[in-house]
Amino acid sequence: LGRYIYFFLIVFYVSFPSVGASKEISILVAGDVYLGSNAIDYTKKFGPSYPFEATEALIKGSDVAIANLESPLTKAKVPFMEKQFILKARTSGGKGLKDAGFDVVTLANNHMMDYGAEGLDETLKTLSSVHMAYCGAGKNLKESRRPAMVEVNGVKIAVLSYSRTYPLEFYASKKRAGTAPAYESYVEEDIRAAAKVSDIVVVAFHWGGERVSEPRQYQTDLARLAIDSGAKLVIGHHPHIMQGVETYKGGLILYSLGNFVFGFYGVDTVEGLLAK
């Protein structure tokens, strides 16, 4: 199983100042999750939460756990467009993520629309059916930019998700389903709005170059814009390998968490960062 799905994880702990008197919470963030391809045989045989069993105690030991869902959960058969990699996973993956202890999944990435509006709609219904919060995609631009809201121990956490990857056709518009584009004006506006109704804002970006170990300048600019706008934690994914960690004005930036549970195996993508 480890050879095909698991990527050995470095666990990195950081402590935020308490939000209020005697209020302390832990937030765990994981990288890309893809439960298709090689993962299918295992989940069919052992159950949808099997890929997460080795890390279940860590996930459930956190107050809030967030991961990037890297594919739609759908039975749709017709891809939205032809491209090199077209991903989807079984709808049982929603239950697997929930049973593993995840509370929020981010959806703004370069595979969420691989099966178009149909695949996205089935994904959103699947996640809603297991009471999984999500953000970063929706039936229109407004919905895609809406934060996921989680409250624990009286602390309100808003999670926003944006894509800065191709294809651009996956981006939502006023009348088109899709993912939230990481345009600077959207990022700043949404974070400032979320900060008014929450205690902590977490922002996820799908960005950077695949298998590129250093963040590009636009990643640093976007991450710092997010912190300047009111975010406390910025998490990144898409490179499939780890990138650097930065503290900035009291916030934390994790430029790429790498893969977490991923149905493809590659010798150069065997490490990931799990941060709590």
Side-chain angles (χ1 to χ4, degrees):
L1 174 62
R3 184 166 128 69
Y4 292 105
I5 303 175
Y6 268 112
F7 296 85
F8 293 99
L9 304 172
I10 296 171
V11 183
F12 178 79
Y13 292 92
V14 66
S15 178
F16 285 111
S18 58
V19 176
S22 71
K23 288 183 180 178
E24 250 182 41
I25 62 165
S26 58
I27 300 174
L28 178 141
V29 291
D32 293 334
V33 174
Y34 170 50
L35 296 171
S37 299
N38 293 324
I40 292 175
D41 288 342
Y42 290 101
T43 56
K44 282 184 176 179
K45 185 175 182 179
F46 300 110
S49 63
Y50 177 68
F52 308 101
E53 284 185 359
T55 50
E56 185 176 329
L58 275 172
I59 299 167
K60 291 185 175 178
S62 302
D63 293 315
V64 178
I66 305 167
N68 176 58
L69 180 58
E70 183 73 359
S71 78
L73 305 174
T74 181
K75 300 182 184 72
K77 296 180 180 180
V78 181
F80 176 76
M81 64 188 299
E82 291 300 321
K83 58 192 186 80
Q84 184 177 8
F85 297 106
I86 299 174
L87 307 185
K88 70 174 179 178
R90 302 168 70 215
T91 55
S92 60
K95 185 177 187 302
L97 284 158
K98 187 68 175 181
D99 289 349
F102 284 102
D103 303 288
V104 182
V105 289
T106 59
L107 306 180
N109 55 62
N110 61 312
H111 290 290
M112 186 48 57
M113 297 302 294
D114 277 359
Y115 285 83
E118 179 186 357
L120 175 62
D121 183 63
E122 189 171 9
T123 302
L124 301 185
K125 288 178 179 177
T126 296
L127 295 172
S128 295
S129 72
V130 296
H131 306 289
M132 174 72 74
Y134 59 82
C135 57
K139 67 181 181 181
N140 53 47
L141 180 60
K142 183 179 180 180
E143 284 196 3
S144 74
R145 293 171 59 187
R146 185 178 298 159
M149 301 295 295
V150 181
E151 184 170 347
V152 58
N153 297 336
V155 178
K156 295 179 180 178
I157 302 158
V159 185
L160 290 158
S161 170
Y162 301 94
S163 175
R164 189 67 179 262
T165 54
Y166 294 103
L168 301 182
E169 291 88 345
F170 282 11
Y171 289 175
S173 68
K174 288 183 178 180
K175 296 183 179 180
R176 182 179 68 196
T179 59
Y183 299 142
E184 286 82 355
S185 59
Y186 292 174
V187 170
E188 182 175 2
E189 179 182 344
D190 296 346
I191 293 172
R192 292 191 185 281
K196 292 179 180 179
V197 295
S198 66
D199 301 298
I200 296 173
V201 179
V202 179
V203 183
F205 290 108
H206 210 69
W207 59 9
E210 292 189 358
R211 295 172 175 81
V212 175
S213 61
E214 297 292 330
R216 292 169 173 167
Q217 186 60 48
Y218 83 83
Q219 292 175 251
T220 300
D221 293 343
L222 263 177
R224 292 179 178 181
L225 172 65
I227 301 294
D228 287 338
S229 301
K232 287 294 184 183
L233 176 61
V234 174
I235 55 179
H237 26 71
H238 179 61
H240 298 296
I241 61 174
M242 293 181 291
Q243 291 184 346
V245 176
E246 179 184 9
T247 56
Y248 173 75
K249 293 186 178 179
L252 180 69
I253 303 165
L254 304 165
Y255 280 101
S256 176
L257 298 165
N259 288 339
F260 180 47
V261 171
F262 212 83
F264 290 149
Y265 175 76
V267 294
D268 56 347
T269 56
V270 295
E271 291 182 331
L273 180 67
L274 188 65
K276 183 177 180 182

